[in-house]
Amino acid sequence: LALKGSNYAGLLERHRIHTKNVEHILDSLRNERIEVRLVKRREYNEETVRWADAIVSAGGDGTMLLAASKVFDKFKPVIGVNTDPERSEGHLCLPVRYTHSFPEAIQKLYRGEFRWQWRQRIRLYLEGTGINPTPVDLHEQQLSQEQHSRAHINERFQDQKSDVSGPHLLPVRALNEIFIGESLSSRYVCLLENFKSCKPSFKFSLHRASYYEISVDDGPWEKQKSSGLNVCTGTGSKAWSYNINKVAHQAVEDILKIAKKHGSLNMPLNMELVQKVTNYYNESLLYNPEEPKMFFSIREPIVNRVFSSSRQRGFSSKVCVRSRCWDACMVVDGGTSFEFNDGAIASIMINTDDALCTVLLEE
Amino acid sequence: LALKGSNYAGLLERHRIHTKNVEHILDSLRNERIEVRLVKRREYNEETVRWADAIVSAGGDGTMLLAASKVFDKFKPVIGVNTDPERSEGHLCLPVRYTHSFPEAIQKLYRGEFRWQWRQRIRLYLEGTGINPTPVDLHEQQLSQEQHSRAHINERFQDQKSDVSGPHLLPVRALNEIFIGESLSSRYVCLLENFKSCKPSFKFSLHRASYYEISVDDGPWEKQKSSGLNVCTGTGSKAWSYNINKVAHQAVEDILKIAKKHGSLNMPLNMELVQKVTNYYNESLLYNPEEPKMFFSIREPIVNRVFSSSRQRGFSSKVCVRSRCWDACMVVDGGTSFEFNDGAIASIMINTDDALCTVLLEE
């Protein structure tokens, strides 16, 4: 790492800080004679979740997503402590001050100086031809693309007799969002030569548009081509969805200038108004994590003779997507992925049974 | 394909149409006693380009990009014929009517009823530690990620004695754009089980933000985190760049509504104004392919305590990027990719020597 110019010393320091913060949480809990089991990422599983009365995630927002991913019990509280405040925004965690004074958080919990916050989550049904593979047990290492595909094809053909293509409820609940898009291959070649002219041995398309059909709230199916579809929760409205949809100060200024000129408007166009409009617009993209509604966004929609996009985004209760992709997937919270190729149909919705129980401490 | 529900008959038909269109072009040229060599994608190389006086690409815009990618001679005309009008917009090709009446195009060329159009292209310099691999000759098939990395590491260490890290001019010229971003891995697992609960064997992050530093027109370096950086030409301003930057009718309407309310403006807000503003804004994203200037866009910039983004997009003569990425690349015209990891510095600019010679027929 150091050879590459990476900040190895910085990484080591952050690890030290994290470890110290974890110790602090452990000590605080054990001082209250609360039995604590410390598990790392790879040991964390549903059995551990069942054993616990509550789960504390020690890390950043990513660790919270991982912690939540194994919790399916609406009444199992998950509390996030941000042990890496320099690096993580900690949207899903307790305010940063509790990281160094966790006993204070514990006292508030004892005294009832908090309220439950049920963060709604998204569930996924999958159906269609060719989506009924038996589980392929892959190790936590990289298979070659070829080996991986072969494994799937073999399984799929073996299972054709029991081809039950009714909707399957996938064993995941999205706390942030579901993202659907073409898989992007890592097959690339570094072809730099010092002295000779370079001959790329193969080319590939890194950015491939995703083709699919979408139906919102049981509305008519619409063919679309875009850089992907994001369906988020109130929790996720602050995450990737926000970055997809927010407008830049610069763009708002340009739009208002054009409107002023073309509408022959008598508009006092100053920085204050631009900032106000930008902030209000961007804030309207966020909503309460407890609201049982989803927000869908189409990323970089391609509009031409064939494809249309009546609405680029909006709230909905249900989104159905029919894949017309070659090599796409559905990604849950940036962490788990499901194959989603031509012929597969996904139904996406919120069920309040799936909510995640978290806490909001009184301030 | 048919088993998957794909439109095999449709694919076959498009291939038939394409083949017929290619025959028409060949016949038209040979009728004029012009010597024609028909080459497919894999046979097309710089030797073929040298042999020809001009190159006709028969396909869609993608084929034009491929054709252009082997041409480094400013005076070697490249003419695109859109043999797949149902599927390709044909921005880089002659108007669609010449696809079926190519002799008409030939006559115009003979009579001088055309003008030369020099489409500016972008060149790339690369420098920094760890970017001096000897060429790795990879076959046109998929290596496992592991095999690929090992190959690169071996080559890199062998070459450490001759570690010349001065700027290398890469042997590519971007006709549309350079895109810089984190490689997105295709390591995913399909984990759907019919009856049992699913245990994902491994997880990965499909959407990883790209970290880098950017300096525009030799300005101050700025740390950024985003979904990637796109630097395009006038030609490319109609392509991916357009989809990144265009605003939706819906967003303009929302912005104007907010401005009207918060600015207490007396603005007649009707659909006509919204449409006008939307069109004008989006049209302003396009510019003449012959202009020797680049347009950079930052895709989904992440703005927080650490990262800022003073300008999300703009015109420039020079863009320098220093990678802080783990596993990123620079992708040229969606077709060729170069490793661009932590420590590498890219300098991106237009040199009019690199222009591609195309034709604009008089109408």
Side-chain angles (χ1 to χ4, degrees), chain A residues 145-159:
Chain A
Q145 183 87 340
E146 204 186 305
Q147 286 171 294
H148 176 238
S149 303
R150 247 191 290 123
H152 276 282
I153 288 164
N154 288 343
E155 299 293 1
R156 205 174 295 131
F157 283 124
Q158 272 174 35
D159 221 36

Side-chain angles (χ1 to χ4, degrees), chain A residues 29 61 74 88 93 120 129 135 161 213-214 239 243 254 295:
Chain A
L29 291 166
D61 287 332
K74 190 175 183 176
S88 181
C93 302
Q120 300 300 334
T129 47
K161 309 177 211 97
E213 292 169 47
I214 182 174
N243 284 316
D254 291 345
F295 187 68

Side-chain angles (χ1 to χ4, degrees), chain A residues 122-266:
Chain A
I122 290 169
R123 58 166 56 178
L124 272 182
Y125 292 88
L126 199 60
E127 63 185 298
T129 47
I131 58 105
N132 283 331
T134 16
V136 181
D137 186 8
L138 300 161
H139 307 292
E140 204 171 19
Q141 59 206 16
Q142 301 149 24
L143 289 187
S144 77
Q145 183 87 340
E146 204 186 305
Q147 286 171 294
H148 176 238
S149 303
R150 247 191 290 123
H152 276 282
I153 288 164
N154 288 343
E155 299 293 1
R156 205 174 295 131
F157 283 124
Q158 272 174 35
D159 221 36
Q160 267 192 344
K161 309 177 211 97
S162 55
D163 191 271
V164 182
S165 53
H168 300 271
L169 173 58
L170 298 187
V172 290
R173 302 291 182 266
L175 179 58
N176 267 348
E177 80 278 310
I178 308 281
F179 176 76
I180 294 177
E182 279 284 358
S183 287
L184 300 160
S185 173
S186 65
R187 292 167 284 163
Y188 61 84
V189 175
C190 179
L191 302 156
L192 184 56
E193 287 195 49
N194 290 354
F195 307 109
K196 303 199 297 239
S197 77
C198 176
K199 275 186 287 295
S201 296
F202 65 88
K203 298 166 193 279
F204 75 101
S205 179
L206 186 75
H207 173 78
R208 242 185 308 179
S210 310
Y211 285 77
Y212 53 89
E213 292 169 47
I214 182 174
S215 157
V216 176
D217 290 333
D218 290 317
W221 285 95
E222 206 178 272
K223 266 190 174 68
Q224 284 183 5
K225 186 176 170 186
S226 73
S227 291
L229 170 69
N230 179 303
V231 186
C232 73
T233 60
T235 301
S237 67
K238 291 180 179 49
W240 193 4
S241 175
Y242 183 72
N243 284 316
I244 289 170
N245 292 301
K246 73 184 194 288
V247 283
H249 187 272
Q250 185 184 356
V252 173
E253 188 183 6
D254 291 345
I255 286 167
L256 294 180
K257 274 182 177 163
I258 294 167
K260 180 172 181 171
K261 178 174 168 190
H262 281 255
S264 306
L265 303 171
N266 188 10

